[in-house]
Amino acid sequence: MATTKDYGADSIRVLEGLEAVRERPGMYIGSTSRKGLNHLVYEIVDNAVDEHLAGFCDRIEVTLEADGSATVNDNGRGIPVGMHEKGVSAERVVFTTLHAGGKFDSDAYKTSGGLHGVGSSVVNALSTYLEVKVSREGNVYYDRYEKGVPTVELEKGLLPVLKTTRKTGTWVHFLPDPDIFDRTDFSGTEMKSRLHETAYLNPNLTIIFEDKRKEDNDHHEYHEPDGLIGFVRELNESEEALHEPIYLSGEADGIMVECAIQYVNDFHENVLGFCNNIFNSEGGTHLTGFKTIFTQVMNTYAKEIGILKDKDPNFTGTDIRNGMTAIVSIKHPDPRFEGQTKTKLDNPDANKAVSSIIGEQAVLHFDRNLDELKSILANAERAAKIRKTEEKTKTNMLTKPKFSFDSNGKLANCQSRDPKECEIFIVEGDSAGGSAKMARDRMYQAIMPIRGKILNVEKATMDKVLANAEIKTMINAFGCGFSEGYGNDFDIEKLKYDKIVIMTDADVDGAHICTLLLTLFYRFMPELIYEGHVYVAMPPLYKAIPSKGKEEYLYDDRALEKYRKNHKGNFTLQRYKGLGEMDAEQLWETTLNPENRLLKQVGIEDAKLASHTTALLMGNDVPPRKAFIYEHALNATIDA
Ligand code: 1YM
């Protein structure tokens, strides 16, 4: 096929648009880390899901090819290939124009994609090559691009035909551009989780995932006819459920509202919000509406049944949601998001619609299911009791003199008081802690050694958590308090360190301590993670000492492999078992010095995975925990 020729003024403008994507990829896909890489696939999948929502597609295949490329295939109508007003095939417009065509932006429910239909052209711009086959009107049409630039010559603006077919659908195949991404190996684990989630949110859709990069192909078929009910069941699979999941749904003001609820015999709440199939990690108006109306309905029942007397104060929202797992999913024709990360829904009418549908449907449901109602209210009563006791504990704690972290001798603080430049290292073990104290830049780096395992916060109650000396010291050192269901005293503005760095050994115990710390932050100080303050230090695994030339620290097995390949001549390999094996100088050089060290930023956007994992991690099995740490570390972005 011939290569690109003259595309006229319009196309030049188009290409300039895609150039902007290549210049600032983060603006379009969030980041160029592995997370951003996976996003490329989700963008294409989301278009296929839109086609499903439009009622024309019930099967999507996602394949991670052995050579690092990816293929997404659907059985919808096929992207339109006819002449667009711009003088080329509509397909070309879709793949080369940012915000492709206002026409589909405004169509109700054509909004499953997180980036509102801009997806195809963004993926195209960030791919070394991208190929499209559209099966439509009896033909298979073909197009191809390199870094967003078409390489197929059109005949009177129209696409070449490869062959005839009776089928319809769209096939997109692309290779992410290594010039753009930090790494180009998709995370299969994360992708499977997201595709499974999409299947739960779209009960009539089947998604087939295949990973051909592995020796024995990883093959999964996701079809979840029970939808949100199945989703809630999965979230609660390792818990003791108090009743069958409750499903409520309806439509108000053009907004579709769906919700599944199930209580478990545990004390935390897990309420997740989705808008147009996209997870909203920071919640938003749909969740506010849900929480407010549900609290109101349950308090009304509590008074009606006599669990609360007229003079009693109402249960708080957190009392009511004690042990609740819920998913609220809405379809909104024009979703708006708040904040930088665009993960908090902002439409006021979403609050109203959810409130109206859930208010009405919950009453219809509980009027007919009194036993369920009673067990949920009994749960709320228990929570209220605990809350009252804990409020007392907290008051007592606050009236006692504040413990100072200087006096308990643990924290070696830094001299600077400018949070923007300060870092705190939480170091496993007294010996590594001692070396770190000597090695650090005491102007900016604070060291807090922790001994062995901290308390398992997932299972412990609030007063135990607060009574734990190491946790107390940590909360005190960070300076912003802590939040939990029972009141929110956390203030990120008061954080005294820009970076909180977990520094544990690269072994199972280290992984365990790291997990416990992440759980503590996730449960009681989630903003630390959301705002990107939490990091995991990656000390080197090896030191290569060549017979001639400079010694080199190697941070993982990949680095070792590379060193082996590139290094000519003999070298001795020293393997580090733990931080304690390094002297102060080595520790500075490898792990503390911002010039050389490798830090991985911890992120929790995918709270489904996180909340799932937190529960999973706190089981008695060590292997899943270890897997989590490794997966987390791999997904994290490197802070160079
Ligand atoms: C593997 C990726 O993109 N499928 C897909 C996309 C479209 C349609 C069907 C489609 C939409 C419409 C009409 C419409 C898109 N079309 C457009 C545009 N799969 C994938 N399947 N006919 C077909 O929205 O009216 C953009 S996406 F703009 F050309 F209509």
Side-chain angles (χ1 to χ4, degrees), residues 41 43-52 54 56-57 60-61 71-81 84 89-95 100-105 107 110 117 120 132-134 136 169-173:
V41 173
E43 284 303 325
I44 303 295
V45 168
D46 285 346
N47 288 331
V49 173
D50 277 342
E51 184 66 355
H52 167 72
F56 300 100
C57 153
I60 302 173
E61 293 164 0
T71 310
V72 183
N73 191 7
D74 72 42
N75 67 347
R77 288 168 292 178
I79 297 178
V81 290
H84 186 270
S89 167
E91 175 276 337
R92 194 109 342 147
V93 179
V94 169
F95 279 92
K103 157 177 167 288
F104 14 94
D105 280 356
D107 281 356
K110 267 210 66 58
S120 309
V132 187
K133 286 182 204 165
V134 174
R136 207 180 149 107
T170 305
W171 176 96
V172 176
H173 172 77

Side-chain angles (χ1 to χ4, degrees), residues 21 96 111 120 134 155 214 219 341 420 422 459 483 488-489 543 615 617 621:
V21 178
T96 51
T111 39
S120 309
V134 174
E155 185 98 13
K214 307 209 168 130
H219 184 105
T341 46
K420 281 199 289 301
C422 293
K459 293 284 177 220
S483 70
N488 189 347
D489 294 338
K543 180 155 108 175
L617 293 170
D621 273 9

Side-chain angles (χ1 to χ4, degrees), residues 309-556:
K309 302 280 170 291
D310 279 346
K311 62 174 176 26
D312 289 341
N314 276 344
F315 292 130
T316 65
T318 3
D319 294 341
I320 301 274
R321 293 189 300 277
N322 175 47
M324 173 194 255
T325 302
I327 298 164
V328 180
S329 167
I330 71 161
K331 301 272 160 51
H332 196 291
D334 181 26
R336 300 283 155 91
F337 300 92
E338 181 197 314
Q340 265 209 318
T341 46
K342 303 274 173 230
T343 49
K344 186 171 187 181
L345 188 70
D346 201 22
N347 305 64
D349 57 354
N351 182 324
K352 237 177 98 202
V354 173
S355 187
S356 126
I357 298 297
I358 302 301
E360 178 189 297
Q361 296 295 316
V363 172
L364 284 176
H365 176 88
F366 289 118
D367 277 352
R368 279 187 255 118
N369 294 278
L370 284 180
D371 287 344
E372 247 174 38
L373 174 70
K374 282 180 189 159
S375 79
I376 294 172
L377 286 175
N379 229 31
E381 211 176 4
R382 254 197 315 277
K385 262 195 201 130
I386 299 176
R387 166 171 57 87
K388 284 174 193 155
T389 325
E390 291 186 341
E391 276 166 2
K392 269 188 217 145
T393 318
K394 220 163 152 183
T395 322
N396 289 344
M397 271 194 50
L398 291 176
T399 49
K400 279 183 204 151
K402 276 234 178 240
F403 40 88
S404 134
F405 41 88
D406 292 325
S407 67
N408 74 15
K410 277 266 182 189
L411 180 94
N413 209 357
C414 51
Q415 285 158 0
S416 166
R417 287 290 173 265
D418 178 3
K420 281 199 289 301
E421 55 186 20
C422 293
E423 307 175 337
I424 182 165
F425 288 78
I426 301 170
V427 185
E428 172 188 358
D430 283 334
S431 121
S435 301
K437 278 182 192 175
M438 288 200 290
R440 71 191 169 128
D441 177 341
R442 57 182 60 241
M443 190 64 194
Y444 308 113
Q445 296 180 323
I447 307 288
M448 194 192 137
I450 52 167
R451 239 174 297 129
K453 310 270 169 72
I454 59 160
L455 198 69
N456 179 344
V457 289
E458 175 76 4
K459 293 284 177 220
T461 58
M462 178 77 141
D463 46 349
K464 280 215 193 97
V465 170
L466 288 175
N468 180 280
E470 290 182 327
I471 290 179
K472 267 202 263 190
T473 310
M474 233 179 311
I475 293 172
N476 215 6
F478 297 170
C480 24
F482 59 91
S483 70
E484 208 266 341
Y486 309 107
N488 189 347
D489 294 338
F490 187 84
D491 184 0
I492 191 94
E493 298 293 318
K494 295 196 182 137
L495 183 62
K496 292 191 196 146
Y497 307 93
D498 180 63
K499 291 191 174 68
I500 296 168
V501 185
I502 302 173
M503 205 163 135
T504 58
D505 287 337
D507 58 13
V508 177
D509 278 348
H512 192 184
I513 293 170
C514 184
T515 308
L516 290 173
L517 285 169
L518 289 179
T519 308
L520 171 77
F521 299 158
Y522 173 65
R523 288 275 164 221
F524 296 99
M525 299 168 253
E527 282 99 328
L528 292 181
I529 300 180
Y530 285 128
E531 307 238 333
H533 293 291
V534 182
Y535 296 81
V536 176
M538 307 297 290
L541 289 182
Y542 310 100
K543 180 155 108 175
I545 310 160
S547 43
K548 271 186 245 140
K550 247 177 60 187
E551 297 176 347
E552 216 173 294
Y553 292 104
L554 306 170
Y555 287 83
D556 55 21

Side-chain angles (χ1 to χ4, degrees), residues 1-2 7 81 88-96 124 129-134 140-146 148-154 157-162 171-173:
M1 258 160 243
Y7 283 94
V81 290
V88 286
S89 167
E91 175 276 337
R92 194 109 342 147
V93 179
V94 169
F95 279 92
T96 51
N124 191 17
Y129 71 83
L130 180 143
E131 293 180 296
V132 187
K133 286 182 204 165
V134 174
V140 179
Y141 299 90
Y142 178 78
D143 206 357
R144 187 174 188 282
Y145 305 83
E146 285 174 15
V149 181
T151 61
V152 172
E153 195 180 345
L154 305 183
L158 297 176
L159 299 177
V161 172
L162 291 182
W171 176 96
V172 176
H173 172 77

